[in-house]
Amino acid sequence: MKKRISVLLALLFLAMPLTAFGEAEARRDETVYAALDPSGNVRSVEIVTHRAPMKDEAVDYGKFTDLKLLDGAKPEEQAGTLVWKKGALDRDTYYSVTSEKKPPVDIAITYALDGKEMPASEIAGKSGEFTISLFLDKTDLMTQVSLVLPLERFSDIHTDGMKSVVGKNTRVTLTHLG
């Protein structure tokens, strides 16, 4: 009889879904947007975060400003943290913050006019074959770079990425998969 009960309990545990014993790990995804000046220096950083629903309390740490709730539950701001009390994350939540933290990818930009490398400030107002080269560091991350080139100044644009015309501009988008 004891052997039957043991076998029955073992089968019962094998048939039960494991998620019944605890909630899945909290899912949090973020996208970092960095605006750069012509030299590649960071002008601003915006981080857009998605938090999946969860029952427990959740905390995000970091130095940030300008919290904008895009959709979902509003957190409490407490000394460098965002806190969602237990049960507050009852649906998908999206928010953005401005950060002074350096982006996770370093980008170096070089410019050349007619094959001669020079600073962007020296190229302004000149014509010729203009080349922009981007060099990424920490290439294990997926990185997308987007450039906006006014059609009144740039023509015959060739790229390894995608290009599209949006109004009076050509948007060039390059994606590097880490």
Side-chain angles (χ1 to χ4, degrees):
M1 181 72 167
K2 285 184 182 180
K3 191 173 186 181
R4 258 192 199 151
I5 292 174
S6 298
V7 170
L8 184 60
L9 283 175
L11 289 173
L12 181 64
F13 282 123
L14 288 174
M16 291 178 70
L18 294 177
T19 56
F21 294 108
E23 187 172 309
E25 186 177 323
R27 197 175 94 232
R28 180 180 178 278
D29 303 302
E30 65 181 28
T31 302
V32 178
Y33 296 92
L36 307 178
D37 69 12
S39 300
N41 298 314
V42 177
R43 284 186 179 163
S44 65
V45 175
E46 180 183 10
I47 302 169
V48 177
T49 303
H50 164 246
R51 272 199 163 278
M54 61 182 289
K55 294 177 185 169
D56 295 329
E57 179 175 281
V59 180
D60 286 346
Y61 299 92
K63 189 174 181 180
F64 56 84
T65 57
D66 303 324
L67 169 69
K68 294 178 194 146
L69 183 64
L70 305 174
D71 187 30
K74 184 169 175 73
E76 293 179 19
E77 295 182 59
Q78 300 176 358
T81 62
L82 299 177
V83 179
W84 287 267
K85 296 295 183 188
K86 188 172 184 165
L89 284 168
D90 58 348
R91 61 186 172 130
D92 287 302
T93 297
Y94 301 85
Y95 66 92
S96 77
V97 294
T98 301
S99 176
E100 293 179 17
K101 192 175 177 182
K102 186 178 175 207
V105 175
D106 293 326
I107 300 176
I109 305 171
T110 62
Y111 303 94
L113 186 63
D114 295 326
K116 182 181 174 194
E117 194 172 304
M118 59 181 70
S121 59
E122 289 181 27
I123 295 174
K126 296 180 181 172
S127 63
E129 186 176 318
F130 177 63
T131 305
I132 301 174
S133 299
L134 304 169
F135 303 93
L136 304 177
D137 189 21
K138 300 178 189 164
T139 56
D140 57 330
L141 298 172
M142 187 193 112
T143 306
Q144 189 172 59
V145 178
S146 184
L147 308 167
V148 177
L149 305 171
L151 288 171
E152 61 195 28
R153 293 189 208 138
F154 297 94
S155 61
D156 196 24
I157 299 168
H158 301 276
T159 177
D160 292 333
M162 300 292 295
K163 69 178 181 178
S164 60
V165 175
V166 181
K168 295 181 178 183
N169 297 311
T170 295
R171 179 176 296 272
V172 175
T173 304
L174 303 144
T175 302
H176 171 78
L177 302 175

